[in-house]
């Protein structure tokens, strides 16, 4: 099992002026090689909602509440839980 964490995660927030919805999106890459990772599970425990990354390592998920944690899991990697505090990006 690789011990590399998926730390090269970019999270971008787009706020819509007329709704409470927030679009949470980003790209997941291997921290060691820089390769994008397809099929990574992106899960938000507070909302019991998730998605997976596409072939380019990109994901997008709509959230309607304050999100505190985002979990990234992938076969052969340790699960990474990222504390989300409203910042525009996570690197």
């Amino acid at each position: 099992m690789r011990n590399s964490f998926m730390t090269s995660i970019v999270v971008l927030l787009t706020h819509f002026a007329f709704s409470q919805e927030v679009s949470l999106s980003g790209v997941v890459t291997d921290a060691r090689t820089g390769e994008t990772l397809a099929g990574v599970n992106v899960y938000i425990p507070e909302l019991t909602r998730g998605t997976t990354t596409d072939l380019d390592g990109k994901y997008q998920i709509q959230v309607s509440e304050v999100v505190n944690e985002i979990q990234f899991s992938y076969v052969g990697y340790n699960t990474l839980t990222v504390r989300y505090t409203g910042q525009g990006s996570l690197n």
Side-chain angles (χ1 to χ4, degrees):
M1 179 180 271
R2 287 195 251 176
N3 288 326
S4 271
F5 286 104
M6 296 170 285
T7 56
S8 299
I9 300 168
V10 179
V11 179
L12 304 173
L13 290 179
T14 305
H15 294 276
F16 297 100
F18 299 105
S19 80
Q20 299 290 8
E21 289 272 318
V22 175
S23 179
L24 185 60
S25 61
V27 178
V28 179
T29 60
D30 182 291
R32 189 172 46 87
T33 66
E35 292 182 43
T36 58
L37 299 173
V40 175
N41 294 308
V42 181
Y43 181 68
I44 302 170
E46 292 95 341
L47 303 178
T48 61
R49 186 181 302 168
T51 190
T52 57
T53 59
D54 65 13
L55 292 175
D56 297 318
K58 297 177 184 178
Y59 67 91
Q60 182 174 19
I61 187 167
Q62 297 293 99
V63 296
S64 60
E65 300 174 24
V66 176
V67 174
N68 294 314
E69 290 184 344
I70 305 167
Q71 293 178 348
F72 298 87
S73 60
Y74 191 61
V75 175
Y77 288 78
N78 295 325
T79 297
L80 177 65
T81 300
V82 177
R83 209 70 184 133
Y84 178 72
T85 58
Q87 66 273 36
S89 65
L90 296 173
N91 295 316

